[in-house]
Amino acid sequence: MKLGAASKPIVGRAALWPNYWPEAHGYGIVHLGLGNFARAHLLSYTDDALAAAGGDWRVIGASLRGSTVDDLLSPQDYRYTLLEKGAETKATVIGSLHSVVSGQARIPDLLSAMSSAQCRIVSLTVTEKGYALAGHGGLDTAHPDLVHDLSEPGSPRGVIGVISAALAVRYATGLPPFTTISCDNLPDNGRKLREGVLEFTRTAYGRSLADQIAAEGAFPSTVVDRITPAPVETTSMLAFAETGYNDLAAVETEPFRQWIIEDNFSTGRPAWDTAGAILVPDIRNYERMKLWMLNGTHSLIAYCGCLRGKPFVRDVMADPDLKALVSRHLQAASAAIGQLGIDLSDYAEKLKERFSNPAIAHATAQIAMDGTQKLPQRVTAPALMALERGTDFQPFAFAIAAWIVYAERWAKGLADYGIHDPQAMIIRDILSSPTTDAHLLSAVHRSFPLVLPAQLMSGNFEVALRRSLTELR
């Protein structure tokens, strides 16, 4: 039996089912980038909010590039099982997904949904590179999607172009702008998304549209947290054991989840607060906590894991030497943050517990992706703050060195892993030839100044960086 809208709970199966009828609720959210994380996080919170307070807030998921997710979910009426794996497994059938729009050919359908009065929120999980931002923070106008979308704004294919095109239609038909929410691990993600959309609309559509978006639109920043590995062969088997139904779209995640959102919405929102989301007036310190402690330590784990042949995060945490490096990094990150309204020592202990979860197979190679995009926010930023505050900076020097050696081994053909990074060809070009530590650091600094800026190329930090690099190489 395949999971679907007509499926009912089966006696003896432990899965939880929606205590509302999903088809009685219309959509109110369009989500760009419907991957596993979005289905474990945004859709989970929305499912709980619908159960608590109702409303037309189901989610239309979209994949601009196209994926197999629609092929998996459509035959199941967009139901799927969320498996929370800890000491015990909790299975929940999610009903908050309304439908899926997948592929470039269906972008007109996507724009129609986004420009409808029903759509009040557009959310995103498209990873850092999906925003097509340049190093200075503005749009990367050399990006192929932006080149195309600026020349043909009515037929967009990139994220910023699609959002802007939908807002242009709404403007022309007298509808207010929707709220646009980034759920990606970018610092100040709402502001960056807002500035990107305003820059694009001013250029492609003119100042009137940009002025309306600036005056009436909302781009709340967020902090999102839930470890969600890619499904494995046993995922669907576990979903069947919990529900009694075949489910090829099941998702595995950890029990912990966190969503902190700036309380800034232009057209309403689901009752996410009833599901545990935290609404705050200013999110900046919470962003630092998440990026520097969780994400930065995750990057350290990823590169150490790849270098030491540890396929999963839990394997790194099972190694006493590597676990000690993790503890040291967390302590340095919390010291760089300073005082917060949250106990950072307790947060660090919870992170180590989550990283060690034996039920979660979170691949180090998955976390290691896109290092040139992730490291500036996750490791370089706290390194600079540690130097400014006079706190321990050596763990950050070690983490940067670990990434350099990880990249160098791949570039020289000495690694049993691949590198997935938008700058992969540059990495290969500058790191494929044997060189001294000094030349290696200079090459990285010249090519990736956001990862290794001038402030980290002198004094005690450079000494620590060279020492770590020598040891790791």
Side-chain angles (χ1 to χ4, degrees):
M1 296 185 293
K2 186 182 292 292
L3 183 65
S7 302
K8 304 293 184 185
I10 295 176
V11 175
R13 306 286 182 162
L16 303 175
W17 290 70
N19 63 357
Y20 66 97
W21 180 240
E23 279 66 29
H25 299 265
Y27 80 90
I29 303 170
V30 173
H31 183 82
L32 307 180
L34 188 67
N36 297 315
F37 177 78
R39 291 196 285 137
H41 192 270
L42 171 88
L43 281 146
S44 173
Y45 274 96
T46 305
D47 200 64
D48 288 345
L50 286 168
D56 291 329
W57 289 111
R58 294 179 77 204
V59 180
I60 294 178
S63 172
L64 298 185
R65 295 287 181 262
S67 69
T68 61
V69 68
D70 190 31
D71 296 335
L72 296 175
L73 286 162
S74 177
Q76 300 181 180
D77 302 315
Y78 304 101
R79 302 288 202 277
Y80 64 93
T81 310
L82 183 63
L83 300 161
E84 299 177 22
K85 298 179 69 178
E88 297 179 351
T89 296
K90 173 187 172 184
T92 304
V93 175
I94 301 295
S96 55
L97 185 61
H98 177 279
S99 55
V100 175
V101 180
S102 182
Q104 295 278 302
R106 294 203 62 197
I107 285 181
D109 298 326
L110 174 62
L111 291 174
S112 178
M114 293 169 67
S115 57
S116 166
Q118 288 179 265
C119 177
R120 285 156 286 161
I121 292 174
V122 170
S123 52
L124 301 85
T125 47
V126 295
T127 74
E128 291 91 336
K129 60 188 175 185
Y131 294 82
L133 297 175
H136 56 75
L139 291 177
D140 178 6
T141 53
H143 191 286
D145 285 346
L146 285 178
V147 171
H148 172 273
D149 292 354
L150 286 168
S151 64
E152 298 183 48
S155 302
R157 64 188 187 193
V159 169
I160 300 294
V162 165
I163 292 171
S164 300
L167 289 169
V169 174
R170 295 175 75 96
Y171 177 71
T173 56
L175 288 174
F178 41 66
T179 297
T180 313
I181 305 178
S182 169
C183 298
D184 284 299
N185 286 316
L186 284 169
D188 214 3
N189 53 19
R191 180 187 61 80
K192 289 181 178 176
L193 179 56
R194 180 181 188 272
E195 291 179 354
V197 170
L198 291 177
E199 180 182 345
F200 186 95
T201 51
R202 271 194 298 267
T203 303
Y205 295 98
R207 183 165 296 278
S208 294
L209 174 60
D211 287 348
Q212 191 212 27
I213 296 169
E216 301 178 24
F219 295 81
S221 289
T222 66
V223 171
V224 297
D225 190 0
R226 192 167 216 185
I227 296 170
T228 307
V232 293
E233 290 183 8
T234 57
T235 303
S236 59
M237 296 168 57
L238 181 56
F240 178 81
E242 295 289 325
T243 66
Y245 294 93
N246 292 318
D247 179 3
L248 298 180
V251 176
E252 295 188 16
T253 191
E254 64 170 334
F256 178 91
R257 68 178 184 180
Q258 184 180 71
W259 198 6
I260 306 171
I261 315 170
E262 280 183 338
D263 197 0
N264 175 26
F265 294 83
S266 58
T267 47
R269 61 170 174 83
W272 285 323
D273 50 326
T274 65
I278 302 171
L279 281 296
V280 298
D282 188 337
I283 206 164
R284 286 172 291 183
N285 285 330
Y286 296 96
E287 286 179 332
R288 287 179 173 179
M289 178 189 75
K290 166 75 184 331
L291 281 166
W292 296 2
M293 294 185 70
L294 186 145
N295 298 126
T297 308
H298 245 171
S299 290
L300 170 74
I301 289 171
Y303 301 125
C304 288
C306 288
L307 290 172
R308 290 284 291 268
K310 309 287 186 182
F312 300 116
V313 171
R314 64 192 184 194
D315 300 327
V316 172
M317 297 301 290
D319 183 311
D321 294 334
L322 297 181
K323 186 175 182 178
L325 290 175
V326 169
S327 296
R328 185 183 74 152
H329 193 97
L330 285 168
Q331 186 174 2
S334 65
I337 293 167
Q339 294 298 314
L340 247 188
I342 291 177
D343 185 337
L344 295 182
S345 296
D346 180 64
Y347 181 61
E349 291 304 313
K350 288 180 179 176
L351 287 176
K352 286 188 281 187
E353 181 181 341
R354 293 167 62 198
F355 294 156
S356 302
N357 186 345
I360 295 295
H362 201 180
T364 51
Q366 178 187 357
I367 302 166
M369 294 171 61
D370 304 330
T372 59
Q373 308 290 301
K374 294 175 178 176
L375 286 175
Q377 298 86 25
R378 297 181 175 197
V379 178
T380 306
L384 293 170
M385 181 59 75
L387 288 175
E388 181 181 324
R389 294 174 63 93
T391 58
D392 185 14
F393 56 80
Q394 295 190 60
F396 306 120
F398 183 88
I400 292 172
W403 174 76
I404 293 173
V405 175
Y406 157 87
E408 181 192 28
R409 286 193 183 177
W410 171 80
K412 291 181 176 178
L414 302 175
D416 57 0
Y417 50 79
I419 277 190
H420 301 278
D421 192 291
Q423 305 298 325
M425 296 309 298
I426 297 176
I427 291 172
R428 189 188 296 277
D429 288 344
I430 68 168
L431 302 184
S432 58
S433 301
T435 186
T436 65
D437 292 350
H439 288 151
L440 186 60
L441 289 176
S442 295
V444 171
H445 166 61
R446 286 193 306 271
S447 298
F448 307 115
L450 295 180
V451 174
L452 191 54
Q455 301 96 306
L456 304 184
M457 287 289 288
S458 61
N460 291 334
F461 194 94
E462 184 188 21
V463 172
L465 188 59
R466 287 198 186 202
R467 181 170 60 246
S468 295
L469 193 62
T470 299
E471 293 171 354
L472 286 163
R473 292 181 86 193

